[in-house]
C-alpha cells in the first residue's frame, strides 16, 4: 500500500496482520500502539529488544510494575557506568525467600541517607571485610551505641580473634569479662572509677 497522504484503516471487529518473515513499522514521528484492555508484546523464539538510539526509555505504570525472569538473572545497567536510582514512596526493597543481594564486584559501593539509615535483621547479621578494615565514624559530639537488648545479662558483645577466642566480653547487665591475652590500659590523664 503506497500513499502520498494519510491511510486510515478502521474495523468494527478484530484486526490482524500476519507475516512469515522479518517485518517493520517505521514512522517519521511518534508511533502509538494502544489497547483499551491490554497490550501484549511477545517474542515466541528470540529476544524481545526495546531500544532507543538517541533518546530515553520511560516506563510508567498506574499500578504495580513487575519484572520477572523464569530462567536467568535480571540486569539493569549492566553495560554502563551510570547511576542507577531506585525510588519509591515507602523506600522499600524487598526480596523473596531466596533473599536480596546488593553488591559491587569491581568498585566501591556507598549507601547514604539524607536522614536516618536503619539496617535490621530478623535473624543473625554479619558485617565483614575480606581485605581491609571496617571503620564506623560519627559526626562531632555524636556517639556510637551498641544496644544489647534486656538488662538481664543474656546478650553480650565480644571482641574475638579468628579462632573464636574472646579477649573482651560485655553483657547486657554491663558485666565485663577479659579473656585470654594481655590487658594494657594506657591513659594520657588519670583513669577514673565510676
Amino acid at each position: 500500500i503506497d500513499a502520498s497522504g494519510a491511510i486510515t484503516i478502521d474495523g468494527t471487529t478484530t484486526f490482524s496482520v500476519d507475516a512469515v518473515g522479518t517485518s517493520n513499522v517505521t514512522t517519521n514521528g511518534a508511533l502509538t500502539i494502544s489497547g483499551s484492555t491490554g497490550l501484549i508484546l511477545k517474542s515466541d523464539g528470540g529476544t524481545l529488544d526495546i531500544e532507543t538510539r538517541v533518546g530515553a526509555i520511560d516506563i510508567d505504570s498506574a499500578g504495580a510494575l513487575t519484572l520477572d525472569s523464569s530462567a536467568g538473572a535480571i540486569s539493569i545497567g549492566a553495560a554502563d557506568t551510570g547511576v542507577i536510582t531506585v525510588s519509591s514512596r515507602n523506600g522499600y526493597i524487598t526480596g523473596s525467600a531466596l533473599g536480596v543481594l546488593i553488591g559491587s564486584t569491581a568498585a566501591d559501593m556507598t549507601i547514604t541517607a539524607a536522614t536516618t539509615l536503619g539496617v535490621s535483621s530478623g535473624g543473625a547479621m554479619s558485617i565483614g571485610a575480606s581485605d581491609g578494615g571496617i571503620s564506623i565514624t560519627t559526626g562531632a559530639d555524636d556517639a556510637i551505641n551498641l544496644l544489647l537488648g534486656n538488662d538481664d545479662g543474656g546478650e553480650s558483645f565480644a571482641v574475638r580473634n579468628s579462632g573464636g577466642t574472646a579477649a573482651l566480653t560485655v553483657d547486657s547487665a554491663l558485666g565485663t569479662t577479659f579473656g585470654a591475652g594481655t590487658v594494657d590500659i594506657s591513659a594520657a590523664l588519670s583513669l577514673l572509677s565510676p
Side-chain angles (χ1 to χ4, degrees):
I1 301 175
D2 295 324
S4 59
I7 298 177
T8 301
I9 301 175
D10 294 323
T12 59
T13 59
T14 60
F15 171 71
S16 176
V17 177
D18 297 318
V20 296
T22 302
S23 306
N24 68 282
V25 177
T26 303
T27 64
N28 185 11
L31 175 64
T32 300
I33 301 177
S34 177
S36 61
T37 59
L39 179 62
I40 300 174
L41 299 177
K42 184 177 181 181
S43 175
D44 288 325
T47 301
L48 179 61
D49 191 4
I50 301 176
E51 182 177 335
T52 176
R53 186 173 61 85
V54 294
I57 295 178
D58 187 7
I59 300 176
D60 292 325
S61 175
L65 176 62
T66 302
L67 298 177
D68 291 327
S69 175
S70 60
I74 297 177
S75 299
I76 301 176
D80 196 0
T81 58
V83 176
I84 298 175
T85 301
V86 179
S87 61
S88 68
R89 178 176 299 176
N90 295 324
Y92 284 105
I93 298 177
T94 61
S96 64
L98 299 178
V100 176
L101 176 62
I102 301 176
S104 175
T105 59
D108 296 338
M109 184 175 68
T110 302
I111 300 176
T112 59
T115 56
T116 303
L117 175 64
V119 180
S120 62
S121 173
M125 179 180 294
S126 176
I127 301 175
S130 59
D131 185 12
I134 297 177
S135 300
I136 301 176
T137 60
T138 66
D141 300 327
D142 292 326
I144 298 175
N145 297 313
L146 296 176
L147 303 180
L148 300 177
N150 298 326
D151 58 359
D152 57 1
E155 297 81 19
S156 64
F157 166 77
V159 178
R160 304 177 184 273
N161 60 13
S162 59
T165 302
L168 171 65
T169 303
V170 180
D171 61 37
S172 57
L174 301 183
T176 303
T177 303
F178 292 94
T182 301
V183 178
D184 184 4
I185 300 176
S186 301
L189 300 175
S190 60
L191 183 63
L192 302 177
S193 61

